[in-house]
């Protein structure tokens, strides 16, 4: 039995007229699935040889070697680690892309998750993160994906957010729970903002080449947030800094009563 994918769009004209457009997107879906499977397979295949190469490089890096060789080994070691993080990001992204988006996930404590992510990054950030979340808040979703969202957004604030404080807050409001991460860095030129969540998109490659990164972080964030029925909002002012935020709807969030 052959399966078809159809895209249906209904447009209302005036009060009593509607136009329905039905598009056959079977072929587009098939090609997209092939692309996703290809990336997933290649990145899995790369992981094993890379682990072996990196293991030996790390061992060599710890040895007493002639200075010229030492420099080469240190550089190879650095690039090897960069490749490992790229492959891991690719694997994470393909998992997110092929995940079943109909599931709602389990309830978990977002406040606790916030504290644990901050704990892991505080040393790397030179204690620049201030975290505010005064209530025990639970959300329904996937804690590993949410952990990755928070880690990616905070890591970006550390990398691109200058030397100032980074403000991370989780607050409950009338429309749900708002998570917000603000930095006081250089900001992002307006024309780039809508493209930041595309795979491999980086604002300025020459500038960023000194700051390690794959350009996949915000694509991962976007997909993980889709699984929580929400979107990433980005506000930025040049010279002042950027705020990355999202709202988890009140159907998927709740404040725990104090006992
Ligand atoms: P990566 O950090 O690996 O390059 P991301 O997808 O996480 O990839 O981010 C894409 C680009 O968005 C970054 O290369 C950077 O140019 C820009 N960016 C992300 N976060 C910030 C931020 N807080 N301030 C300024 N620019 C940012």
């Amino acid at each position: 039995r052959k399966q078809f994918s159809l895209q249906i769009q209904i447009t209302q004209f005036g009060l009593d007229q509607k136009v329905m457009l039905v598009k056959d997107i079977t072929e587009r879906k098939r090609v997209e699935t092939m692309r996703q499977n290809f990336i997933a397979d290649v990145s899995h295949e790369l992981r094993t040889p890379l682990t072996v190469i990196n293991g030996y490089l790390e061992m060599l890096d710890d040895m007493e070697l002639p200075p010229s060789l030492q420099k080469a080994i240190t550089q190879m070691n650095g690039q090897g680690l960069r490749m490992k993080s790229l492959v891991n990001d690719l694997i994470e992204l393909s998992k997110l892309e092929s995940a079943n988006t109909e599931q709602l996930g389990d309830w978990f404590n977002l406040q606790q998750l916030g504290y644990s992510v901050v704990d892991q990054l505080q040393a790397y950030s030179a204690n620049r993160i201030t975290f505010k979340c005064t209530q025990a808040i639970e959300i329904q979703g996937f804690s590993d994906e949410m952990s990755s969202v928070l880690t990616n957004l905070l890591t970006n604030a550390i990398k691109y957010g200058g030397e100032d404080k980074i403000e991370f807050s989780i607050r409950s409001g009338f429309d749900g729970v708002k998570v917000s991460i603000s930095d006081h860095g250089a900001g992002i030129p307006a024309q780039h903002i809508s493209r930041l969540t595309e795979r491999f998109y980086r604002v300025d490659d020459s500038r960023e080449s000194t700051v390690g990164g794959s350009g996949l972080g915000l694509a991962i964030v976007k997909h993980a947030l889709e699984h929580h029925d929400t979107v990433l909002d980005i506000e930025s002012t040049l010279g002042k800094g950027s705020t990355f935020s999202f709202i988890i709807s009140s159907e998927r969030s709740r404040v725990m009563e104090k006992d």
Side-chain angles (χ1 to χ4, degrees):
R1 203 168 46 150
K2 201 167 161 44
Q3 281 202 343
F4 289 99
S5 296
L6 299 176
Q7 190 179 52
I8 300 172
Q9 190 184 346
I10 299 172
T11 316
Q12 174 103 32
F13 285 103
L15 281 179
D16 54 359
Q17 284 186 20
K18 285 194 183 102
V19 170
M20 184 161 89
L21 192 74
V22 182
K23 238 194 223 170
D24 179 359
I25 54 163
T26 315
E27 184 58 16
R28 204 169 82 198
K29 276 246 163 159
R30 196 184 62 84
V31 173
E32 179 59 16
T33 309
M34 259 170 61
R35 182 195 65 77
Q36 281 175 8
N37 290 345
F38 177 73
I39 293 178
D41 291 348
V42 170
S43 31
H44 267 111
E45 289 303 317
L46 283 173
R47 192 140 75 167
T48 313
L50 204 55
T51 309
V52 177
I53 295 172
N54 282 350
Y56 280 114
L57 281 173
E58 204 177 309
M59 204 173 83
L60 284 169
D61 207 16
D62 289 339
M63 286 167 123
E64 282 284 327
L65 296 167
S68 57
L69 197 57
Q70 183 69 60
K71 197 175 157 206
I73 297 288
T74 306
Q75 282 209 2
M76 284 197 275
N77 205 4
Q79 294 302 320
L81 289 175
R82 199 170 161 185
M83 205 149 147
K84 180 179 158 192
S85 117
L86 176 61
V87 166
N88 284 341
D89 280 356
L90 276 173
I91 291 175
E92 190 176 354
L93 187 57
S94 27
K95 263 197 210 143
L96 282 168
E97 282 181 334
S98 60
N100 176 359
T101 49
E102 265 138 49
Q103 281 168 10
L104 288 175
D106 301 319
W107 287 91
F108 63 90
N109 190 322
L110 186 62
Q111 185 193 34
Q112 252 167 31
L113 184 70
Y115 276 115
S116 98
V117 172
V118 170
D119 232 29
Q120 282 166 27
L121 292 174
Q122 203 55 289
Y124 170 50
S125 82
N127 287 320
R128 282 188 292 139
I129 306 173
T130 57
F131 178 44
K132 255 200 203 129
C133 176
T134 50
Q135 291 164 304
I137 288 169
E138 281 198 337
I139 65 166
Q140 189 182 26
F142 308 91
S143 61
D144 50 341
E145 292 184 11
M146 197 42 73
S147 163
S148 173
V149 167
L150 300 178
T151 305
N152 274 302
L153 294 178
L154 283 169
T155 308
N156 280 350
I158 297 169
K159 287 195 295 188
Y160 310 109
E163 307 287 309
D164 263 351
K165 285 260 171 260
I166 294 159
E167 283 120 26
F168 170 28
S169 66
I170 302 176
R171 284 194 185 89
S172 79
F174 72 97
D175 51 355
V177 165
K178 182 166 182 175
V179 178
S180 162
I181 291 167
S182 300
D183 65 60
H184 302 279
I188 306 154
Q191 72 270 25
H192 294 290
I193 291 186
S194 62
R195 301 197 57 194
L196 288 186
T197 55
E198 288 173 19
R199 286 180 226 111
F200 297 113
Y201 192 85
R202 308 192 76 197
V203 169
D204 175 356
D205 255 343
S206 54
R207 182 169 61 85
E208 248 93 66
S209 60
T210 51
V211 182
S214 60
L216 290 173
L218 291 179
I220 290 174
V221 169
K222 178 187 158 189
H223 277 90
L225 288 182
E226 268 171 19
H227 292 175
H228 294 82
D229 294 322
T230 185
V231 288
L232 183 65
D233 182 55
I234 308 173
E235 281 172 44
S236 189
T237 313
L238 283 181
K240 289 235 160 83
S242 316
T243 298
F244 291 74
S245 63
F246 58 89
I247 292 174
I248 304 283
S249 73
S250 38
E251 286 89 53
R252 296 182 75 138
S253 61
R254 61 189 181 206
V255 177
M256 303 308 285
E257 297 291 337
K258 285 195 191 105
D259 47 22

